[in-house]
Amino acid sequence: MTIVPPAAGEPRRPDGPRDPGDAWVVTGDGTKYWGRFGASGLLAVDAARGVLLQHRVAWSHHGDTWGLPGGARHQGESACDAALRESAEEAGVPRAAVAPRLISVYDIGVWTYSTLVADVITPFEPVISDPESRELAWVPVDAVESYLLHPGFAASWPRLRALLPVRPALVVDAANVVGSVPDGWWRDRAGAAARLRDALAALAERGVDATVLDLPENVWFPEIVLIVEGDARAVGDDATRAVRIVRAAGAGDDAIVDVAEGLRAEGRAVTAVTSDRELTGRLERSGASVRSVSWLRDLL
């Protein structure tokens, strides 16, 4: 493959210089892929309105088709950050309005395209802010295939659509995890829970490898619920809102099972973290998968 910079007159966004990633990757058979460091796009999913699609202008690559807002990754930029940046630049998607759920990667060896599937948590109206867009529209999931789709998106859509109902959750037994390391947690249970909360928030931001959760695709961003009991209930909420804190009114085990059963009733894929044998049995009977504390420690 070779790297070919864009032509001198090739249109670009009006708000800044090109990045080193703005170049064509050309394979031996002449096929062109945009983005020296790969590319990323955002599949924003709104439960009420469907998915956000971009109608590309005729002069663009595979022009006059419908696809996802996205583009070339910058040097050193993660796939998630690239998708969020590009969708903000091209469609005015507020970063705080969407919550990442999964990343699916199309990899041909010399080039990758990463699709970030994200849930709309604050409704917004897209705004055309890029010369590559003719139109932006919320399209009902059942209607997507009736549009003339970008070939890459058309190929990936059936697989991505099948994953839209999959919403994993990670339920963490704080007392069991904190108690697994003799670091003096018994002197400040709330402080120990706060350290675990912060480590989980960092995990929530970078995501979890799909194989670790026995899920398809590449990376997932499960909802994380941390159950605390006793003195640990004094722990503060996560400022990033990446981790939901549940304070057990009574026994922590009962609260953990209640949370897991509630999520399962919503159709969620629940992975619970505890090394307590009795609790493990209760969780498995509720339909949750159970992982050990050491499993979580390895992720953190």
Side-chain angles (χ1 to χ4, degrees):
M1 62 93 178
T2 58
I3 303 297
V4 179
E10 195 168 331
R12 65 170 177 83
R13 294 188 193 88
D15 55 350
R18 289 193 183 275
D19 182 85
D22 291 337
W24 293 102
V25 175
V26 183
T27 58
D29 63 0
T31 305
K32 297 170 63 177
Y33 300 94
W34 180 245
R36 176 181 297 181
F37 310 112
S40 290
L42 174 71
L43 179 60
V45 182
D46 186 302
R49 296 181 290 177
V51 298
L52 178 62
L53 296 186
Q54 174 196 53
H55 191 186
R56 301 164 63 83
V57 294
W59 52 257
S60 66
H61 197 220
H62 296 297
D64 208 27
T65 60
W66 290 79
L68 304 180
R73 291 169 60 174
H74 288 177
Q75 188 170 17
E77 186 177 42
S78 72
C80 184
D81 286 344
L84 294 171
R85 174 185 54 76
E86 285 282 345
S87 61
E89 292 175 352
E90 294 188 356
V93 178
R95 189 178 185 120
V98 294
R101 196 200 308 181
L102 75 100
I103 295 176
S104 172
V105 181
Y106 171 68
D107 188 347
I108 62 169
V110 296
W111 184 84
T112 61
Y113 186 91
S114 300
T115 302
L116 172 66
V117 179
D119 295 297
V120 175
I121 54 177
T122 303
F124 66 91
E125 291 302 326
V127 177
I128 295 177
S129 53
D130 184 281
E132 291 187 21
S133 300
R134 285 182 57 183
E135 184 182 358
L136 296 166
W138 291 104
V139 178
V141 170
D142 291 341
V144 169
E145 291 180 343
S146 68
Y147 285 65
L148 178 61
L149 301 179
H150 181 285
F153 180 55
S156 64
W157 171 243
R159 186 179 72 257
L160 294 170
R161 178 180 180 174
L163 293 172
L164 294 184
V166 181
R167 298 173 55 83
L170 189 64
V171 178
V172 180
D173 178 357
N176 201 243
V177 176
V178 166
S180 67
V181 178
D183 59 358
W185 55 264
W186 52 87
R187 289 191 292 270
D188 181 7
R189 296 171 189 263
R195 292 192 296 274
L196 176 57
R197 175 203 63 199
D198 294 345
L200 289 170
L203 177 65
E205 178 157 350
R206 65 179 180 268
V208 180
D209 187 278
T211 58
V212 172
L213 293 172
D214 294 329
L215 290 172
E217 301 308 319
N218 300 86
V219 177
W220 287 81
F221 300 85
E223 176 187 357
I224 299 179
V225 186
L226 181 64
I227 317 296
V228 294
E229 61 181 317
D231 291 344
R233 290 180 298 181
V235 65
D237 289 324
D238 174 29
T240 69
R241 298 188 298 177
V243 179
R244 176 160 65 97
I245 306 292
V246 173
R247 296 170 176 82
D253 288 6
D254 293 341
I256 293 165
V257 173
D258 287 345
V259 168
E261 289 179 342
L263 291 168
R264 287 288 299 156
E266 296 173 5
R268 309 290 291 278
V270 177
T271 300
V273 178
T274 186
S275 290
D276 183 286
R277 285 190 179 183
E278 181 179 350
L279 178 57
T280 293
R282 294 177 65 187
L283 287 165
E284 289 177 339
R285 288 191 292 274
S286 77
S289 297
V290 181
R291 299 291 187 271
S292 67
V293 168
S294 61
W295 175 89
L296 178 63
R297 289 287 186 190
D298 289 343
L299 291 181
L300 299 179

